[in-house]
Amino acid sequence: MEELEKASLPNHRRGGIGGLVAIAFFMRGFWKTILLLIFIMVGDFVALYLQRSGLIEQFKNRK
């Protein structure tokens, strides 16, 4: 439970993210906003995998 509290965003950041989603929803439409959120989540998972597996460091250190 303690790890979850450390990983959660502060309230002002959640409000900012919600505001950005609302702006995207009204400017782009429902399906484009959903697609954008899916791409953001996939990119986040890929970046997390690359960071945890050490592939980014291997790429940086190669010469």
Side-chain angles (χ1 to χ4, degrees):
M1 183 68 174
E2 194 173 304
E3 291 177 12
L4 182 61
E5 290 175 3
K6 289 180 181 179
S8 68
L9 293 173
N11 287 337
H12 65 281
R13 283 212 177 152
R14 284 189 217 147
I17 292 171
L20 289 175
V21 170
I23 290 170
F25 178 77
F26 286 114
M27 291 184 71
R28 299 287 179 208
F30 177 75
W31 293 111
K32 288 182 182 178
T33 302
I34 296 298
L35 184 63
L36 176 69
L37 292 174
I38 290 171
F39 283 149
I40 289 171
M41 288 189 307
V42 168
D44 190 39
F45 285 125
V46 168
L48 184 62
Y49 170 76
L50 291 174
Q51 183 181 14
R52 287 188 178 176
S53 66
L55 290 173
I56 293 176
E57 289 300 321
Q58 290 176 4
F59 183 75
K60 285 181 184 178
N61 293 335
R62 111 183 144 155
K63 292 182 180 181

